[in-house]
Amino acid sequence: MTTHQTTLSRRSFISAALVGAGALATFGITGCAGGGAGGSSAAATYDVGIGHLNSTAHLLAFVAKEEGFFEEEGVRATLTQFSSASELVSGLESGKLQVAFIGSVPTLVNASNGHDISVFGGAMTNGHGYVIKGEYTKGLSSWDPTILKGKNVAVPRTTVQELELYEICKKYGLTYGEGDGYDVHITYFESQKDAYNAFSNAEIDAVSAYSPYMSIAVADGASVVYKCYEEDIFKNQPCCRQVALTEELDKNPDLYAAVERAFIKAYAFYKNPANKDKAIADVKAYIDIPEDEIEYEVFTPDYCDSNPDPDYQATLALKDDAVEFGYLKDFDLAKHYNTSIYDKALSELEAADSSNTYYADLRKHFSQYE
């Protein structure tokens, strides 16, 4: 491997249809050569299990599947929804998955704890924040995160949202912790789903939210405390990453390049305004919420970007923040990053379609931040 070496009832919807790792069939890998960069069906065939979360932001996989981009690249992809990062990591390690969309912080924590996983692409940048019950903003024309003072906040453990809360509290001079004696009272949950479900209880005033929970909360009358892109400290905040076993990236670079080309094509497709309605329909096939909520999550300007770029530098900065806050022990992130596969896949697509402005935008971003 060449590593990067630089230094509903909507609530009933949320609770339903989550598939655990035990329900998966084992997916094999066949084929030996990549292809398909020009857009026609590839000669080689790869069977690939892809795990995702209950999030509209994982649309790269949804669009690539529904629009036939996997098939164009010789990939037979099976998409399965999971409820947690730990299930996704287990799916990779058991061989039931070849690709998983895992949150950036859980990826960092698992890597630092000895799991030999590596990031080879991106899935979502920004796209999360906090919401508070509408009763607390009634009559207010504006507010900032200090509105969380004295409130009980539901937070999923080992997530970028948890780390963000610590950072935002520090910025606004708020103390935080479990129980009394703090400005912000934190109640921890094992998943975003559990945290959001607790938001319906009288004891919980605010909750973290990533897509689609933000739009669901707003539709149910909650108010947005902040969206991460609105805070300077969270600009270009990496959320979910494309993750695989390090040894599999070493052994099967052509497979992962084929998958990456499909994801890049999906990005170019959904970014084209002419394809907006179709992209929403593609997401709805996997995340069954109203179309207007999907539009809110996916197409609100600046809020969320389902970008396939690995974004090594942004993730490195996030790792350093996590270390600073005592969230994890420091480790060499470069050993758990592979940017060469993305670079290769994007180069092949650029060569086949040199006038594609979306590929050009991705290249500019990669050149600037990698």
Side-chain angles (χ1 to χ4, degrees):
M1 179 179 94
T2 301
T3 56
H4 195 290
Q5 297 297 329
T6 60
T7 226
L8 289 276
S9 155
R10 281 182 274 271
R11 291 192 176 87
S12 67
F13 152 74
I14 293 167
S15 300
L18 294 173
V19 180
L24 284 174
T26 300
F27 304 110
I29 302 175
T30 61
C32 58
S40 59
S41 296
T45 300
Y46 304 107
D47 292 326
V48 178
I50 300 175
H52 65 91
L53 295 173
N54 178 35
S55 178
T56 57
H58 296 175
L59 67 80
L60 293 179
F62 310 149
V63 172
K65 180 72 172 179
E66 296 303 303
E67 298 302 325
F69 298 136
F70 285 129
E71 288 83 354
E72 286 182 4
E73 298 300 335
V75 175
R76 286 195 296 261
T78 301
L79 276 57
T80 306
Q81 185 182 122
F82 288 76
S83 60
S84 69
S86 59
E87 286 185 357
L88 288 163
V89 172
S90 295
L92 290 172
E93 293 177 335
S94 70
K96 294 176 179 178
L97 296 176
Q98 284 67 57
V99 177
F101 286 170
I102 305 178
S104 53
V105 168
T107 298
L108 294 172
V109 170
N110 277 278
S112 71
N113 287 338
H115 293 272
D116 196 16
I117 56 176
S118 289
V119 174
F120 69 100
M124 180 172 85
T125 300
N126 293 121
H128 39 82
Y130 278 76
V131 295
I132 194 168
K133 288 177 177 174
E135 64 193 77
Y136 295 112
T137 61
K138 189 175 182 180
L140 299 178
S141 59
S142 64
W143 55 89
D144 63 30
T146 59
I147 199 171
L148 295 176
K149 187 173 183 178
K151 306 301 189 297
N152 297 317
V153 183
V155 181
R157 292 185 185 275
T158 319
T159 60
V160 70
Q161 302 101 289
E162 181 186 0
L163 180 58
E164 273 188 8
L165 182 62
Y166 301 163
E167 293 183 89
I168 204 75
C169 285
K170 179 181 178 181
K171 175 181 176 180
Y172 285 91
L174 301 171
T175 61
Y176 57 89
E178 291 185 270
D180 296 330
Y182 300 98
D183 294 329
V184 177
H185 313 136
I186 299 177
T187 302
Y188 292 100
F189 294 86
E190 293 306 312
S191 72
Q192 177 67 75
K193 175 177 70 74
D194 292 339
Y196 189 80
N197 285 343
F199 189 46
S200 62
N201 298 330
E203 310 86 61
I204 299 298
D205 303 311
V207 64
S208 78
Y210 65 71
S211 59
Y213 300 93
M214 184 74 77
S215 61
I216 292 170
V218 170
D220 283 345
S223 298
V224 176
V225 175
Y226 75 88
K227 297 176 183 176
C228 59
Y229 81 92
E230 296 170 336
E231 295 285 338
D232 289 340
I233 59 174
F234 302 139
K235 294 293 186 184
N236 199 39
Q237 180 86 289
C239 193
C240 293
R241 305 287 87 188
Q242 298 171 37
V243 181
L245 294 182
T246 305
E247 64 177 347
E248 291 300 322
L249 291 169
D250 279 343
K251 287 164 47 180
N252 299 291
D254 290 337
L255 179 154
Y256 288 98
V259 170
E260 196 63 67
R261 288 193 299 270
F263 287 154
I264 294 170
K265 288 180 177 180
Y267 174 85
F269 181 89
Y270 109 86
K271 284 293 186 180
N272 187 334
N275 299 327
K276 180 178 179 179
D277 290 344
K278 190 67 175 69
I280 290 173
D282 292 344
V283 173
K284 187 172 175 59
Y286 298 86
I287 309 297
D288 190 17
I289 60 175
E291 287 87 349
D292 61 338
E293 293 181 14
I294 296 174
E295 182 176 3
Y296 177 97
E297 296 287 359
V298 174
F299 292 106
T300 297
D302 300 319
Y303 168 46
C304 178
D305 185 21
S306 292
N307 192 311
D309 193 301
D311 240 328
Y312 174 80
Q313 295 294 342
T315 310
L316 178 61
L318 181 67
K319 187 266 294 184
D320 291 342
D321 286 344
V323 171
E324 178 184 346
F325 276 82
Y327 205 80
L328 52 81
K329 293 181 179 180
D330 203 1
F331 69 102
D332 187 359
L333 180 62
K335 293 181 178 179
H336 295 272
Y337 241 84
N338 183 318
T339 61
S340 62
I341 287 173
Y342 176 81
D343 189 16
K344 176 178 183 292
L346 182 57
S347 294
E348 290 168 343
L349 291 174
E350 288 173 306
D353 186 4
S354 60
S355 64
N356 190 304
T357 59
Y358 302 106
Y359 298 161
D361 289 343
L362 289 176
R363 174 58 64 188
K364 180 180 179 181
H365 183 92
F366 184 77
S367 298
Q368 183 175 356
Y369 294 107
E370 299 304 316

